[in-house]
Amino acid sequence: MKALQLTGWKQLPQFQEVATPEPGPGEVLVRIGAAGACHSDLHLFHDFEPGALPYELPFTLGHENAGVVEAFGAGVTGLDTGQPVVVYGPWGCGRCYPCVQGVENYCERQAEIGAAGGGLGRDGGMAPFMIVPAARYLVPLTDLDPVEAAPLTDAGLTPYHAIRRALPVLVPGATAVVIGAGGGLGHLAVQILRAVSSCRVIGVDTRDSGLELARRLGAHDAVMSGPDAEDEIRELTRGRGAEAVFDFVGIDPTMALGAAVVRPQGHLTVLGIGGGTLPISFFSIPYEVAVSTTYWGTIPELFEVIALAERGDITPVVHRYPLDDALDAYEAMRSGALEGRAVIVPEA
Ligand SMILES: [Zn+2]
Ligand SMILES: [Zn+2]
């Protein structure tokens, strides 16, 4: 079968002909319906020297995957072939304390394991089939189209996890700011906030089209990123600022904006891996602001995200690309031309 693989560091991925995998004991073979193209893959292609990441090359890309159960190996029970599923992305050891809670994104043995999951050191979903190492990574779908479901496993799950942590401050009357509101994760963050809280949502983006998308998906206000954004957010909140800021960009100016508009006792969560830094000193941010990064989410949270999507509360905006055109999808993302999520469809 044809697979889009990372074959070397500091270079674009390549199409390779590889053997169709067969599931071993405990493993599940998933026929891929769709694989999301994630902005973090661009960092994977360009930002790492050989040896910087504990991944062995080559491996098939695609860490946002949905499809149907094609076959499974010995010892797998409670699954039927033909069952539509999404694949939970970060694969831990399954036995440490975080893992047994479903928090495999923070597995304690990650350093020993090396690869972070399918598409991140092990073979992912940018191919007609992928092996999932354990049935616990599969969340069943009922009505959702795999093309709309695939982005939920990362572009949906990652903001959901961050928003869930901030829910105690997102009370009625509170404000949440989403920086990068037109992007793959940001456009889902806007919808998740509207679905799980009654807070006011302000979207921030660098593009008019991104602001328009944020508004269409439920943002109460949309603010152009730039020197005036801080004042505009202050004005919209009658000078109070925001209880929670979710920064899906993570560069110096966006982190500075977050620190400038977050309220005392608020949450400032950085999810974008733009490489920015935020200096922290006693007087540099309001009192009791929790500044944190987050990485992906948990297995139970993926069930919750799928439940939100199955009942129609959140819907990814997707652009379909056949597998042959996957590199065009990454280029569209790199150039900033893409809103929502690019999804690779192997059999399109
Ligand atoms: Zn990702
Ligand atoms: Zn573990």
Side-chain angles (χ1 to χ4, degrees):
M1 64 180 188
K2 187 178 187 179
L4 183 66
Q5 294 201 316
L6 195 65
T7 56
W9 297 107
K10 300 226 158 190
Q11 64 180 51
L12 285 172
Q14 317 232 327
F15 286 107
Q16 305 250 95
E17 199 58 40
V18 300
T20 302
E22 284 181 25
E27 295 179 339
V28 181
L29 181 69
V30 172
R31 176 190 290 271
I32 296 296
C38 182
H39 207 272
S40 68
D41 287 336
L42 296 176
H43 293 282
L44 197 59
F45 305 161
H46 300 299
D47 292 354
F48 298 100
E49 298 293 335
L53 286 174
Y55 302 168
E56 271 178 43
L57 300 181
F59 63 86
T60 303
L61 290 160
H63 59 261
E64 285 189 345
N65 303 304
V68 297
V69 173
E70 176 79 9
F72 41 82
V76 177
T77 55
L79 261 192
D80 292 318
T81 55
Q83 167 69 53
V85 290
V86 290
V87 181
Y88 176 75
W91 300 341
C93 73
R95 296 182 307 281
C96 71
Y97 189 66
C99 278
V100 296
Q101 297 171 91
V103 190
E104 298 213 16
N105 48 324
Y106 299 145
C107 172
E108 289 173 357
R109 297 202 180 96
Q110 199 57 60
E112 293 160 47
I113 294 171
L120 294 168
R122 295 184 64 173
D123 289 334
M126 292 204 179
F129 296 96
M130 80 180 277
I131 291 285
V132 177
R136 70 175 183 278
Y137 296 136
L138 301 176
V139 178
L141 299 175
T142 48
D143 299 327
L144 280 182
D145 175 353
V147 174
E148 288 194 339
L152 296 170
T153 63
D154 176 11
L157 177 57
T158 300
Y160 181 77
H161 174 74
I163 289 165
R164 205 173 189 273
R165 293 178 74 244
L167 279 181
V169 300
L170 293 176
V171 297
T175 297
V177 172
V178 176
I179 301 176
L185 279 69
H187 87 286
L188 282 159
V190 168
Q191 297 178 68
I192 293 165
L193 282 162
R194 291 304 313 271
V196 303
S197 86
S198 60
C199 72
R200 176 187 198 143
V201 179
I202 300 176
V204 177
D205 206 284
T206 52
R207 302 161 296 183
D208 281 321
S209 55
L211 299 181
E212 219 165 278
L213 179 65
R215 267 197 213 97
R216 182 159 68 74
L217 296 176
H220 299 90
D221 300 287
V223 168
M224 181 57 74
S225 184
D228 298 334
E230 177 185 345
D231 286 346
E232 283 184 49
I233 292 168
R234 287 258 159 230
E235 204 163 301
L236 288 167
T237 56
R238 295 199 192 90
R240 296 168 70 199
E243 277 72 7
V245 179
F246 303 98
D247 180 359
F248 292 97
V249 182
I251 57 177
D252 286 346
T254 60
M255 291 167 78
L257 174 64
V261 300
V262 69
R263 294 192 64 194
Q265 298 184 298
H267 279 244
L268 172 52
T269 309
V270 179
L271 301 99
I273 47 179
T277 55
L278 177 69
I280 302 275
S281 70
F282 195 88
F283 297 111
S284 72
I285 53 167
Y287 295 123
E288 296 191 29
V289 166
V291 179
S292 60
T293 55
T294 61
Y295 175 71
W296 229 323
T298 71
I299 296 173
E301 287 167 346
L302 183 55
F303 276 83
E304 293 162 25
V305 169
I306 296 302
L308 279 178
E310 294 267 14
R311 72 182 196 199
D313 282 354
I314 61 173
T315 306
V317 172
V318 296
H319 304 272
R320 294 166 196 242
Y321 290 81
L323 180 59
D324 288 346
D325 297 343
L327 292 174
D328 297 344
Y330 283 113
E331 177 51 28
M333 200 164 17
R334 194 200 56 75
S335 70
L338 195 85
E339 258 119 44
R341 203 57 151 177
V343 171
I344 309 305
V345 182
E347 293 190 327

